[in-house]
Amino acid sequence: VCSGSTIGVCYGRNADDLPTPDKVAQLVQLHKIKYIRVYDSNIQVIKAFANTGVELMIGISNLDLLPFSQFQSNADTWLKNSILPYYPATKITYVTVGAEVTEIPDNVSALVVPAMQNVHTALRKAGLHRKIKVSSTHSLGILSRSFPPSAGAFNSSHAFFLRPLLEFLADNQSPFMVDIYPYYAYRDSSNNVSLDYALFESSSEVIDPNTGLLYTNMFDAQIDAIYFALMALHFRTIRVMVTETGWPSKGSAKETAATPDNAQTYNTNLIRHVINNTGTPAKPGEELDVYVFSLFNENRKPGLESERNWGLFYPDQTSVYSLDFTGRGAVDMTTGANITSSNGTWCIASSTASEADLKNALDWACGTGNVDCSAIQPSQPCFQPDSLLSHASYAFNSYYQQNGATDVACSFGGTGVRSNKNPSYDKCLYMTSGSNKTAASNVTANPSKSASSNMNVSMWLSSCLLLTFLSFF
């Protein structure tokens, strides 16, 4: 049984320049991302993830709470039309009913639990209530107090819907879902919150005077505030799931902390913290599932500049910044994360990689990766030997050399390996650092296309106890 903390990514679509769902599903598969959160039940998105092995968290929007809460037949029809035709080919594991309802002007909180109950009943009729869990997401604003963590308490104005909601979660073994953003705490109160504390970089500790627990980062403190608030209401068995967290890479003039370096630091440290099953001071070793916001920058989101710049990827599927998503070892954030000169190193395809993984990686390199793969076409210098391993090695190396010859640029979902031995042969000469052509014994192949961005495609991972890695490159 798979056990342990996991990392997922939120797939928001509030933009007019994003790839089609099919292309997004390919991107997700390529990087071996295993958990995706979407905010609705769009059929094209659900169909795109069929037979990918990716587990989906889908949503019912706040606008749909009224019909879902009023009539059981509405939930039954939704399940019949939007879920059952695509399940289990598409692995749906959670349904979120409403999102941060306490933050919107129109008070729809009273509709949440009835809507959740109707969705759960529909799932039970279909025999899926144990496989697909129902919950609702909340902002940290649902608390009236969050510091010190042991004083965490829910806002009493939400008590009328909160207690039945918590009873529902406890009865059905569903998680309490919360969106955690240390970025906002720092941005809005930088005099009281240090940047290092928000970024998991603090060398000092904040002591909870009531418990003596020591906190080195705000993320843990905010999670524990939720746990203490739950315990104060005698709900000790409900686990917490973080359905959004992250850091923006760009902001307005006043948002000085919204930078690629800080986003890289926060997310790298977050991943390492989560996959190590560290838990929190109040819940050491406790499993914690976390979804990073967000897969893409979303150009239609309103508000400050930062709102449109939370993505790990640009819409063209290149990465916004390089990250160490392995959770292993330290990352030198001041030097661009493990960037080294090629200096006689090449990137080739691993002989132990599966044919399917190699094909996916080769297709990506010759497509989105903007590698010129003409040299591995029939009658060209690098076509022979006509094997997937040989062709992938050529394409991997071209991408690697074009993108700084970094460790990350040779990941290819775990199918790429670095080599000190020049893989060139016969008339096929592999690209080296600084070159823009592949020459071959008096034959010069077409110039390689430059990558559409020098940003390296990052790695992502989730973890069970056995640490199942989701590699970006």
Side-chain angles (χ1 to χ4, degrees), residues 2 6-9 28 33-38 49 52-58 89-94 131 241 289 291 464:
C2 191
T6 61
I7 291 287
V9 184
V28 166
I33 302 172
K34 298 297 184 185
Y35 306 91
I36 288 288
R37 178 190 175 191
V38 293
F49 283 95
T52 62
V54 176
E55 295 187 13
L56 286 192
M57 175 187 296
I58 64 174
T90 299
K91 297 176 66 175
I92 298 168
T93 51
Y94 291 99
K131 296 180 179 180
M241 174 185 285
D289 298 337
Y291 287 77
C464 293

PDB file of all heavy atoms in Angstrom, residues 2 6-9 28 33-38 49 52-58 89-94 131 241 289 291 464:
ATOM      1  N   CYS A   2       0.627   2.136  -0.913  1.00  0.00           N
ATOM      2  CA  CYS A   2       1.416   3.349  -1.033  1.00  0.00           C
ATOM      3  C   CYS A   2       1.129   4.257   0.159  1.00  0.00           C
ATOM      4  O   CYS A   2      -0.010   4.567   0.457  1.00  0.00           O
ATOM      5  CB  CYS A   2       1.064   4.063  -2.331  1.00  0.00           C
ATOM      6  SG  CYS A   2       2.176   5.399  -2.742  1.00  0.00           S
ATOM      7  N   THR A   6       2.748  13.253  -0.416  1.00  0.00           N
ATOM      8  CA  THR A   6       2.794  13.371  -1.871  1.00  0.00           C
ATOM      9  C   THR A   6       2.764  14.828  -2.294  1.00  0.00           C
ATOM     10  O   THR A   6       2.280  15.693  -1.560  1.00  0.00           O
ATOM     11  CB  THR A   6       1.621  12.644  -2.542  1.00  0.00           C
ATOM     12  OG1 THR A   6       0.384  13.226  -2.105  1.00  0.00           O
ATOM     13  CG2 THR A   6       1.621  11.162  -2.201  1.00  0.00           C
ATOM     14  N   ILE A   7       3.291  15.076  -3.499  1.00  0.00           N
ATOM     15  CA  ILE A   7       3.303  16.415  -4.080  1.00  0.00           C
ATOM     16  C   ILE A   7       2.487  16.389  -5.372  1.00  0.00           C
ATOM     17  O   ILE A   7       2.660  15.511  -6.211  1.00  0.00           O
ATOM     18  CB  ILE A   7       4.740  16.862  -4.400  1.00  0.00           C
ATOM     19  CG1 ILE A   7       5.536  17.110  -3.112  1.00  0.00           C
ATOM     20  CG2 ILE A   7       4.730  18.117  -5.264  1.00  0.00           C
ATOM     21  CD1 ILE A   7       5.132  18.365  -2.374  1.00  0.00           C
ATOM     22  N   GLY A   8       1.604  17.350  -5.508  1.00  0.00           N
ATOM     23  CA  GLY A   8       0.833  17.497  -6.732  1.00  0.00           C
ATOM     24  C   GLY A   8       0.948  18.917  -7.247  1.00  0.00           C
ATOM     25  O   GLY A   8       1.614  19.771  -6.650  1.00  0.00           O
ATOM     26  N   VAL A   9       0.276  19.184  -8.354  1.00  0.00           N
ATOM     27  CA  VAL A   9       0.310  20.514  -8.960  1.00  0.00           C
ATOM     28  C   VAL A   9      -1.110  20.935  -9.331  1.00  0.00           C
ATOM     29  O   VAL A   9      -1.897  20.117  -9.811  1.00  0.00           O
ATOM     30  CB  VAL A   9       1.196  20.535 -10.226  1.00  0.00           C
ATOM     31  CG1 VAL A   9       1.289  21.951 -10.792  1.00  0.00           C
ATOM     32  CG2 VAL A   9       2.582  19.997  -9.943  1.00  0.00           C
ATOM     33  N   VAL A  28       2.359  16.654 -18.414  1.00  0.00           N
ATOM     34  CA  VAL A  28       2.288  16.073 -17.081  1.00  0.00           C
ATOM     35  C   VAL A  28       2.848  14.648 -17.070  1.00  0.00           C
ATOM     36  O   VAL A  28       3.616  14.275 -16.182  1.00  0.00           O
ATOM     37  CB  VAL A  28       0.826  16.100 -16.574  1.00  0.00           C
ATOM     38  CG1 VAL A  28       0.649  15.216 -15.347  1.00  0.00           C
ATOM     39  CG2 VAL A  28       0.406  17.534 -16.265  1.00  0.00           C
ATOM     40  N   ILE A  33       4.338  13.626 -13.307  1.00  0.00           N
ATOM     41  CA  ILE A  33       3.516  14.212 -12.249  1.00  0.00           C
ATOM     42  C   ILE A  33       2.344  13.269 -12.019  1.00  0.00           C
ATOM     43  O   ILE A  33       1.657  12.880 -12.956  1.00  0.00           O
ATOM     44  CB  ILE A  33       3.008  15.608 -12.642  1.00  0.00           C
ATOM     45  CG1 ILE A  33       4.190  16.521 -12.946  1.00  0.00           C
ATOM     46  CG2 ILE A  33       2.142  16.199 -11.544  1.00  0.00           C
ATOM     47  CD1 ILE A  33       3.779  17.863 -13.529  1.00  0.00           C
ATOM     48  N   LYS A  34       2.113  12.899 -10.785  1.00  0.00           N
ATOM     49  CA  LYS A  34       1.103  11.881 -10.478  1.00  0.00           C
ATOM     50  C   LYS A  34      -0.192  12.451  -9.912  1.00  0.00           C
ATOM     51  O   LYS A  34      -1.187  11.744  -9.814  1.00  0.00           O
ATOM     52  CB  LYS A  34       1.675  10.869  -9.479  1.00  0.00           C
ATOM     53  CG  LYS A  34       2.888  10.094 -10.001  1.00  0.00           C
ATOM     54  CD  LYS A  34       2.514   9.243 -11.201  1.00  0.00           C
ATOM     55  CE  LYS A  34       3.690   8.409 -11.668  1.00  0.00           C
ATOM     56  NZ  LYS A  34       3.385   7.656 -12.912  1.00  0.00           N
ATOM     57  N   TYR A  35      -0.170  13.711  -9.505  1.00  0.00           N
ATOM     58  CA  TYR A  35      -1.350  14.280  -8.841  1.00  0.00           C
ATOM     59  C   TYR A  35      -1.618  15.667  -9.414  1.00  0.00           C
ATOM     60  O   TYR A  35      -0.741  16.529  -9.422  1.00  0.00           O
ATOM     61  CB  TYR A  35      -1.131  14.368  -7.332  1.00  0.00           C
ATOM     62  CG  TYR A  35      -0.719  13.057  -6.720  1.00  0.00           C
ATOM     63  CD1 TYR A  35       0.636  12.722  -6.597  1.00  0.00           C
ATOM     64  CD2 TYR A  35      -1.668  12.135  -6.290  1.00  0.00           C
ATOM     65  CE1 TYR A  35       1.029  11.505  -6.056  1.00  0.00           C
ATOM     66  CE2 TYR A  35      -1.283  10.915  -5.748  1.00  0.00           C
ATOM     67  CZ  TYR A  35       0.065  10.606  -5.636  1.00  0.00           C
ATOM     68  OH  TYR A  35       0.444   9.392  -5.110  1.00  0.00           O
ATOM     69  N   ILE A  36      -2.844  15.871  -9.885  1.00  0.00           N
ATOM     70  CA  ILE A  36      -3.233  17.153 -10.481  1.00  0.00           C
ATOM     71  C   ILE A  36      -4.555  17.598  -9.874  1.00  0.00           C
ATOM     72  O   ILE A  36      -5.486  16.805  -9.724  1.00  0.00           O
ATOM     73  CB  ILE A  36      -3.388  17.027 -12.015  1.00  0.00           C
ATOM     74  CG1 ILE A  36      -2.016  16.886 -12.682  1.00  0.00           C
ATOM     75  CG2 ILE A  36      -4.133  18.218 -12.600  1.00  0.00           C
ATOM     76  CD1 ILE A  36      -1.183  18.164 -12.685  1.00  0.00           C
ATOM     77  N   ARG A  37      -4.627  18.884  -9.547  1.00  0.00           N
ATOM     78  CA  ARG A  37      -5.906  19.471  -9.110  1.00  0.00           C
ATOM     79  C   ARG A  37      -6.432  20.380 -10.199  1.00  0.00           C
ATOM     80  O   ARG A  37      -5.721  21.261 -10.687  1.00  0.00           O
ATOM     81  CB  ARG A  37      -5.720  20.285  -7.820  1.00  0.00           C
ATOM     82  CG  ARG A  37      -7.028  20.952  -7.379  1.00  0.00           C
ATOM     83  CD  ARG A  37      -6.846  21.945  -6.251  1.00  0.00           C
ATOM     84  NE  ARG A  37      -8.114  22.619  -5.980  1.00  0.00           N
ATOM     85  CZ  ARG A  37      -8.258  23.690  -5.205  1.00  0.00           C
ATOM     86  NH1 ARG A  37      -7.202  24.222  -4.607  1.00  0.00           N
ATOM     87  NH2 ARG A  37      -9.452  24.235  -5.030  1.00  0.00           N
ATOM     88  N   VAL A  38      -7.690  20.154 -10.598  1.00  0.00           N
ATOM     89  CA  VAL A  38      -8.381  21.071 -11.503  1.00  0.00           C
ATOM     90  C   VAL A  38      -9.580  21.642 -10.760  1.00  0.00           C
ATOM     91  O   VAL A  38     -10.034  21.083  -9.766  1.00  0.00           O
ATOM     92  CB  VAL A  38      -8.821  20.373 -12.807  1.00  0.00           C
ATOM     93  CG1 VAL A  38      -7.607  19.957 -13.629  1.00  0.00           C
ATOM     94  CG2 VAL A  38      -9.695  19.170 -12.532  1.00  0.00           C
ATOM     95  N   PHE A  49      -6.884  13.132 -19.466  1.00  0.00           N
ATOM     96  CA  PHE A  49      -6.064  12.402 -18.493  1.00  0.00           C
ATOM     97  C   PHE A  49      -6.430  10.921 -18.406  1.00  0.00           C
ATOM     98  O   PHE A  49      -5.936  10.208 -17.532  1.00  0.00           O
ATOM     99  CB  PHE A  49      -6.159  13.063 -17.120  1.00  0.00           C
ATOM    100  CG  PHE A  49      -5.337  14.313 -17.012  1.00  0.00           C
ATOM    101  CD1 PHE A  49      -5.905  15.556 -17.238  1.00  0.00           C
ATOM    102  CD2 PHE A  49      -3.986  14.239 -16.724  1.00  0.00           C
ATOM    103  CE1 PHE A  49      -5.145  16.713 -17.166  1.00  0.00           C
ATOM    104  CE2 PHE A  49      -3.211  15.381 -16.648  1.00  0.00           C
ATOM    105  CZ  PHE A  49      -3.783  16.626 -16.870  1.00  0.00           C
ATOM    106  N   THR A  52      -3.663   7.789 -18.169  1.00  0.00           N
ATOM    107  CA  THR A  52      -2.352   8.385 -17.893  1.00  0.00           C
ATOM    108  C   THR A  52      -1.791   7.955 -16.549  1.00  0.00           C
ATOM    109  O   THR A  52      -0.608   8.125 -16.294  1.00  0.00           O
ATOM    110  CB  THR A  52      -2.434   9.925 -17.908  1.00  0.00           C
ATOM    111  OG1 THR A  52      -3.335  10.344 -16.852  1.00  0.00           O
ATOM    112  CG2 THR A  52      -2.938  10.444 -19.244  1.00  0.00           C
ATOM    113  N   GLY A  53      -2.656   7.436 -15.670  1.00  0.00           N
ATOM    114  CA  GLY A  53      -2.212   7.101 -14.324  1.00  0.00           C
ATOM    115  C   GLY A  53      -2.197   8.290 -13.385  1.00  0.00           C
ATOM    116  O   GLY A  53      -1.935   8.139 -12.184  1.00  0.00           O
ATOM    117  N   VAL A  54      -2.468   9.478 -13.906  1.00  0.00           N
ATOM    118  CA  VAL A  54      -2.496  10.684 -13.077  1.00  0.00           C
ATOM    119  C   VAL A  54      -3.778  10.706 -12.262  1.00  0.00           C
ATOM    120  O   VAL A  54      -4.859  10.432 -12.784  1.00  0.00           O
ATOM    121  CB  VAL A  54      -2.405  11.948 -13.959  1.00  0.00           C
ATOM    122  CG1 VAL A  54      -2.532  13.211 -13.117  1.00  0.00           C
ATOM    123  CG2 VAL A  54      -1.095  11.952 -14.746  1.00  0.00           C
ATOM    124  N   GLU A  55      -3.667  11.022 -10.981  1.00  0.00           N
ATOM    125  CA  GLU A  55      -4.844  11.104 -10.114  1.00  0.00           C
ATOM    126  C   GLU A  55      -5.359  12.541 -10.101  1.00  0.00           C
ATOM    127  O   GLU A  55      -4.614  13.474  -9.822  1.00  0.00           O
ATOM    128  CB  GLU A  55      -4.491  10.645  -8.695  1.00  0.00           C
ATOM    129  CG  GLU A  55      -4.106   9.179  -8.634  1.00  0.00           C
ATOM    130  CD  GLU A  55      -3.928   8.679  -7.206  1.00  0.00           C
ATOM    131  OE1 GLU A  55      -4.340   9.389  -6.265  1.00  0.00           O
ATOM    132  OE2 GLU A  55      -3.363   7.579  -7.043  1.00  0.00           O
ATOM    133  N   LEU A  56      -6.641  12.698 -10.390  1.00  0.00           N
ATOM    134  CA  LEU A  56      -7.252  14.021 -10.491  1.00  0.00           C
ATOM    135  C   LEU A  56      -8.072  14.368  -9.258  1.00  0.00           C
ATOM    136  O   LEU A  56      -8.826  13.538  -8.745  1.00  0.00           O
ATOM    137  CB  LEU A  56      -8.168  14.097 -11.707  1.00  0.00           C
ATOM    138  CG  LEU A  56      -7.590  14.187 -13.113  1.00  0.00           C
ATOM    139  CD1 LEU A  56      -8.701  14.537 -14.095  1.00  0.00           C
ATOM    140  CD2 LEU A  56      -6.475  15.210 -13.191  1.00  0.00           C
ATOM    141  N   MET A  57      -7.917  15.599  -8.813  1.00  0.00           N
ATOM    142  CA  MET A  57      -8.845  16.224  -7.877  1.00  0.00           C
ATOM    143  C   MET A  57      -9.658  17.197  -8.714  1.00  0.00           C
ATOM    144  O   MET A  57      -9.109  18.109  -9.327  1.00  0.00           O
ATOM    145  CB  MET A  57      -8.095  16.970  -6.774  1.00  0.00           C
ATOM    146  CG  MET A  57      -8.990  17.756  -5.827  1.00  0.00           C
ATOM    147  SD  MET A  57      -8.035  18.780  -4.658  1.00  0.00           S
ATOM    148  CE  MET A  57      -7.164  17.531  -3.728  1.00  0.00           C
ATOM    149  N   ILE A  58     -10.960  16.984  -8.798  1.00  0.00           N
ATOM    150  CA  ILE A  58     -11.800  17.856  -9.614  1.00  0.00           C
ATOM    151  C   ILE A  58     -12.688  18.703  -8.703  1.00  0.00           C
ATOM    152  O   ILE A  58     -12.854  18.395  -7.519  1.00  0.00           O
ATOM    153  CB  ILE A  58     -12.650  17.060 -10.616  1.00  0.00           C
ATOM    154  CG1 ILE A  58     -13.641  16.162  -9.889  1.00  0.00           C
ATOM    155  CG2 ILE A  58     -11.761  16.245 -11.546  1.00  0.00           C
ATOM    156  CD1 ILE A  58     -14.600  15.463 -10.837  1.00  0.00           C
ATOM    157  N   ALA A  89     -10.974   4.976 -16.264  1.00  0.00           N
ATOM    158  CA  ALA A  89      -9.861   5.274 -17.173  1.00  0.00           C
ATOM    159  C   ALA A  89      -9.147   6.538 -16.710  1.00  0.00           C
ATOM    160  O   ALA A  89      -7.911   6.609 -16.694  1.00  0.00           O
ATOM    161  CB  ALA A  89     -10.376   5.432 -18.601  1.00  0.00           C
ATOM    162  N   THR A  90      -9.933   7.545 -16.320  1.00  0.00           N
ATOM    163  CA  THR A  90      -9.382   8.715 -15.645  1.00  0.00           C
ATOM    164  C   THR A  90      -9.519   8.496 -14.141  1.00  0.00           C
ATOM    165  O   THR A  90     -10.624   8.268 -13.640  1.00  0.00           O
ATOM    166  CB  THR A  90     -10.120   9.997 -16.059  1.00  0.00           C
ATOM    167  OG1 THR A  90      -9.976  10.184 -17.475  1.00  0.00           O
ATOM    168  CG2 THR A  90      -9.547  11.200 -15.342  1.00  0.00           C
ATOM    169  N   LYS A  91      -8.407   8.547 -13.459  1.00  0.00           N
ATOM    170  CA  LYS A  91      -8.390   8.267 -12.012  1.00  0.00           C
ATOM    171  C   LYS A  91      -8.779   9.524 -11.245  1.00  0.00           C
ATOM    172  O   LYS A  91      -7.970  10.437 -11.075  1.00  0.00           O
ATOM    173  CB  LYS A  91      -7.004   7.776 -11.590  1.00  0.00           C
ATOM    174  CG  LYS A  91      -6.589   6.467 -12.237  1.00  0.00           C
ATOM    175  CD  LYS A  91      -5.172   6.070 -11.852  1.00  0.00           C
ATOM    176  CE  LYS A  91      -5.071   5.743 -10.364  1.00  0.00           C
ATOM    177  NZ  LYS A  91      -3.709   5.232 -10.022  1.00  0.00           N
ATOM    178  N   ILE A  92     -10.014   9.556 -10.801  1.00  0.00           N
ATOM    179  CA  ILE A  92     -10.507  10.684  -9.998  1.00  0.00           C
ATOM    180  C   ILE A  92     -10.552  10.232  -8.553  1.00  0.00           C
ATOM    181  O   ILE A  92     -11.175   9.219  -8.224  1.00  0.00           O
ATOM    182  CB  ILE A  92     -11.890  11.129 -10.487  1.00  0.00           C
ATOM    183  CG1 ILE A  92     -11.803  11.607 -11.937  1.00  0.00           C
ATOM    184  CG2 ILE A  92     -12.456  12.233  -9.591  1.00  0.00           C
ATOM    185  CD1 ILE A  92     -13.134  11.791 -12.616  1.00  0.00           C
ATOM    186  N   THR A  93      -9.874  10.968  -7.686  1.00  0.00           N
ATOM    187  CA  THR A  93      -9.772  10.547  -6.284  1.00  0.00           C
ATOM    188  C   THR A  93     -10.418  11.519  -5.301  1.00  0.00           C
ATOM    189  O   THR A  93     -10.744  11.124  -4.179  1.00  0.00           O
ATOM    190  CB  THR A  93      -8.301  10.353  -5.886  1.00  0.00           C
ATOM    191  OG1 THR A  93      -7.554  11.519  -6.259  1.00  0.00           O
ATOM    192  CG2 THR A  93      -7.702   9.144  -6.593  1.00  0.00           C
ATOM    193  N   TYR A  94     -10.587  12.773  -5.711  1.00  0.00           N
ATOM    194  CA  TYR A  94     -11.210  13.759  -4.821  1.00  0.00           C
ATOM    195  C   TYR A  94     -12.159  14.651  -5.615  1.00  0.00           C
ATOM    196  O   TYR A  94     -11.906  14.941  -6.798  1.00  0.00           O
ATOM    197  CB  TYR A  94     -10.162  14.662  -4.152  1.00  0.00           C
ATOM    198  CG  TYR A  94      -9.283  13.970  -3.143  1.00  0.00           C
ATOM    199  CD1 TYR A  94      -8.009  13.535  -3.498  1.00  0.00           C
ATOM    200  CD2 TYR A  94      -9.727  13.756  -1.838  1.00  0.00           C
ATOM    201  CE1 TYR A  94      -7.186  12.901  -2.576  1.00  0.00           C
ATOM    202  CE2 TYR A  94      -8.915  13.128  -0.910  1.00  0.00           C
ATOM    203  CZ  TYR A  94      -7.653  12.701  -1.288  1.00  0.00           C
ATOM    204  OH  TYR A  94      -6.852  12.063  -0.374  1.00  0.00           O
ATOM    205  N   LYS A 131     -13.861   5.350  -2.905  1.00  0.00           N
ATOM    206  CA  LYS A 131     -12.738   5.587  -3.814  1.00  0.00           C
ATOM    207  C   LYS A 131     -12.567   7.068  -4.162  1.00  0.00           C
ATOM    208  O   LYS A 131     -11.471   7.510  -4.499  1.00  0.00           O
ATOM    209  CB  LYS A 131     -12.929   4.773  -5.096  1.00  0.00           C
ATOM    210  CG  LYS A 131     -12.905   3.268  -4.869  1.00  0.00           C
ATOM    211  CD  LYS A 131     -13.105   2.504  -6.168  1.00  0.00           C
ATOM    212  CE  LYS A 131     -13.051   1.000  -5.935  1.00  0.00           C
ATOM    213  NZ  LYS A 131     -13.249   0.234  -7.204  1.00  0.00           N
ATOM    214  N   MET A 241      -4.919  18.521   4.418  1.00  0.00           N
ATOM    215  CA  MET A 241      -4.328  18.464   3.079  1.00  0.00           C
ATOM    216  C   MET A 241      -4.172  19.897   2.575  1.00  0.00           C
ATOM    217  O   MET A 241      -5.100  20.700   2.677  1.00  0.00           O
ATOM    218  CB  MET A 241      -5.219  17.666   2.125  1.00  0.00           C
ATOM    219  CG  MET A 241      -4.735  17.692   0.671  1.00  0.00           C
ATOM    220  SD  MET A 241      -5.869  16.855  -0.484  1.00  0.00           S
ATOM    221  CE  MET A 241      -5.510  15.148  -0.101  1.00  0.00           C
ATOM    222  N   ASP A 289      -0.231  15.719   2.201  1.00  0.00           N
ATOM    223  CA  ASP A 289      -0.318  15.859   0.754  1.00  0.00           C
ATOM    224  C   ASP A 289      -0.428  17.341   0.408  1.00  0.00           C
ATOM    225  O   ASP A 289      -1.225  18.068   1.001  1.00  0.00           O
ATOM    226  CB  ASP A 289      -1.532  15.102   0.217  1.00  0.00           C
ATOM    227  CG  ASP A 289      -1.440  13.601   0.480  1.00  0.00           C
ATOM    228  OD1 ASP A 289      -0.312  13.108   0.669  1.00  0.00           O
ATOM    229  OD2 ASP A 289      -2.483  12.927   0.500  1.00  0.00           O
ATOM    230  N   TYR A 291      -0.381  20.377  -2.807  1.00  0.00           N
ATOM    231  CA  TYR A 291      -0.485  20.750  -4.218  1.00  0.00           C
ATOM    232  C   TYR A 291       0.119  22.138  -4.407  1.00  0.00           C
ATOM    233  O   TYR A 291      -0.286  23.092  -3.743  1.00  0.00           O
ATOM    234  CB  TYR A 291      -1.946  20.758  -4.672  1.00  0.00           C
ATOM    235  CG  TYR A 291      -2.539  19.384  -4.821  1.00  0.00           C
ATOM    236  CD1 TYR A 291      -2.931  18.642  -3.701  1.00  0.00           C
ATOM    237  CD2 TYR A 291      -2.704  18.801  -6.081  1.00  0.00           C
ATOM    238  CE1 TYR A 291      -3.460  17.369  -3.826  1.00  0.00           C
ATOM    239  CE2 TYR A 291      -3.240  17.528  -6.217  1.00  0.00           C
ATOM    240  CZ  TYR A 291      -3.606  16.825  -5.088  1.00  0.00           C
ATOM    241  OH  TYR A 291      -4.129  15.562  -5.216  1.00  0.00           O
ATOM    242  N   CYS A 464       5.909   8.368  -2.148  1.00  0.00           N
ATOM    243  CA  CYS A 464       5.326   7.452  -1.203  1.00  0.00           C
ATOM    244  C   CYS A 464       6.461   7.093  -0.266  1.00  0.00           C
ATOM    245  O   CYS A 464       7.514   7.710  -0.322  1.00  0.00           O
ATOM    246  CB  CYS A 464       4.764   6.232  -1.920  1.00  0.00           C
ATOM    247  SG  CYS A 464       3.351   6.670  -2.945  1.00  0.00           S
TER     248      CYS A 464
END
